[in-house]
Amino acid sequence: SQPVQKSLSKLKAVDQSRQEFVSNVSHELKTPITSIRVLADSLMGMEEVPVELYKEFMADISDEIDRETKIINDLLTLVKSDKATTKLNISQVSINNLLEQILKRLRPIAKKQNIELVLENIREVTADVDETKLSLALSNLVENAIKYNRPSGSVTVSIHSAESAVLEVTDTGIGISPENQEKIFDPFYRVDKSRSRAMGGAGLGLALVSEIARQHNGQVKVTQSSEKGSTIALILPIAIP
Ligand code: ADP
């Protein structure tokens, strides 16, 4: 009968997306290990390696270990927050202060690419949020706005509010094509795998942001994008009902 067919095909879809998730996880976890293996094997295969070369290879190995650690941490956060039981640790937070702290922490990273970080404090906004989680979400958005920017570009974060708090992160970067504007929030999805991986990404950042927005009864979306850059908005209810 039809309802049964419908339920069965839904189950199949869930199963398939679970399998896809697991296969993506193992692929992402294997990639740094493979690099480490190649680096270690080639060092061992060489005779009379100059110390400098040793150091260079060890630095690369260390970077790959950092990458692996980040993927594991992001995955754990994502999987943990997926559970229906996750409790938010809600308190009243000044969004302006929170963003000031985040930008202060990321400024040295932005400076390396000569990117300016600007906070537009359009108004004072306080909201009932889980501070740690919101900080993680906003940091991810600003980090992306730096990573996918152009040299000497800028990132502007603005705070608006009406019934909701609207936090917009605007960059002068490479832009996001219309067909990718929803997909980038899926776990492991990357528009340009090689560019993203070179910068340490496994495509989990925006999936985390989206999960955190959902937990706050809010949403995150691309509100504007062109070859001149993009705006991603995080919209949160000011008070949790
Ligand atoms: P990661 O940055 O680790 O690859 P994310 O989940 O944070 O993963 O982002 C997914 C993809 O979305 C990125 O690989 C990138 O292609 C694209 N993206 C994210 N933010 C931006 C941005 N501000 N401008 C252009 N592309 C972006």
Side-chain angles (χ1 to χ4, degrees):
S1 68
Q2 270 213 327
V4 175
Q5 283 302 336
K6 228 176 156 184
S7 301
L8 277 178
S9 70
K10 258 192 203 156
L11 260 184
K12 260 191 200 146
V14 170
D15 195 45
Q16 197 184 344
S17 81
R18 193 170 292 154
Q19 272 176 26
E20 223 173 274
F21 187 82
V22 171
S23 114
N24 278 326
V25 168
S26 39
H27 174 78
E28 289 305 327
L29 290 178
K30 274 182 193 160
T31 313
I33 303 278
T34 307
S35 307
I36 293 170
R37 152 123 276 153
V38 170
L39 289 161
D41 282 354
S42 43
L43 259 192
M44 287 189 298
M46 287 187 269
E47 271 163 50
E48 294 178 40
V49 186
V51 174
E52 287 70 39
L53 199 62
Y54 248 110
K55 284 193 177 153
E56 208 183 301
F57 273 58
M58 290 316 274
D60 288 348
I61 288 176
S62 172
D63 286 348
E64 293 296 332
I65 292 173
D66 286 346
R67 186 166 293 177
E68 185 86 12
T69 309
K70 186 172 185 311
I71 298 172
I72 292 171
N73 286 337
D74 283 356
L75 264 174
L76 284 178
T77 315
L78 196 63
V79 171
K80 268 195 237 152
S81 50
D82 225 20
K83 288 199 192 126
T85 52
T86 29
K87 279 250 157 51
L88 291 180
N89 192 1
I90 300 286
S91 65
Q92 210 178 54
V93 174
S94 156
I95 305 294
N96 308 66
N97 287 349
L98 185 65
L99 276 165
E100 256 159 43
Q101 284 169 30
I102 291 171
L103 293 196
K104 192 173 165 196
R105 189 169 53 74
L106 293 177
R107 227 164 240 131
I109 297 169
K111 208 172 169 206
K112 284 191 195 145
Q113 293 168 67
N114 204 18
I115 289 168
E116 195 191 3
L117 303 187
V118 184
L119 181 59
E120 270 180 7
N121 274 315
I122 298 194
R123 56 182 298 176
E124 288 289 322
V125 176
T126 55
D128 291 340
V129 294
D130 183 315
E131 185 166 9
T132 312
K133 286 194 168 149
L134 185 64
S135 174
L136 178 66
L138 290 168
S139 300
N140 272 327
L141 291 179
V142 178
E143 275 164 13
N144 278 347
I146 298 169
K147 277 203 294 192
Y148 302 105
N149 217 309
R150 301 178 203 275
S152 306
S154 67
V155 176
T156 308
V157 183
S158 66
I159 308 170
H160 309 261
S161 87
E163 304 102 76
S164 310
V166 180
L167 314 174
E168 287 183 324
V169 180
T170 301
D171 61 55
T172 53
I174 56 178
I176 304 157
S177 65
E179 65 270 25
N180 284 316
Q181 289 180 7
E182 280 187 30
K183 289 190 197 147
I184 55 172
F185 297 99
D186 292 344
F188 302 110
Y189 189 83
R190 288 166 295 193
V191 176
D192 177 348
K193 295 230 177 224
S194 57
R195 175 173 174 140
S196 160
R197 198 181 125 69
M199 288 178 293
L204 290 172
L206 288 179
L208 267 175
V209 178
S210 162
E211 177 59 25
I212 292 168
R214 190 192 63 77
Q215 290 173 351
H216 283 85
N217 301 321
Q219 54 170 323
V220 59
K221 57 186 179 192
V222 178
T223 53
Q224 174 276 124
S225 190
S226 72
E227 71 282 1
K228 292 200 182 103
S230 325
T231 301
I232 299 187
L234 181 60
I235 302 157
L236 301 171
I238 290 179
I240 299 250

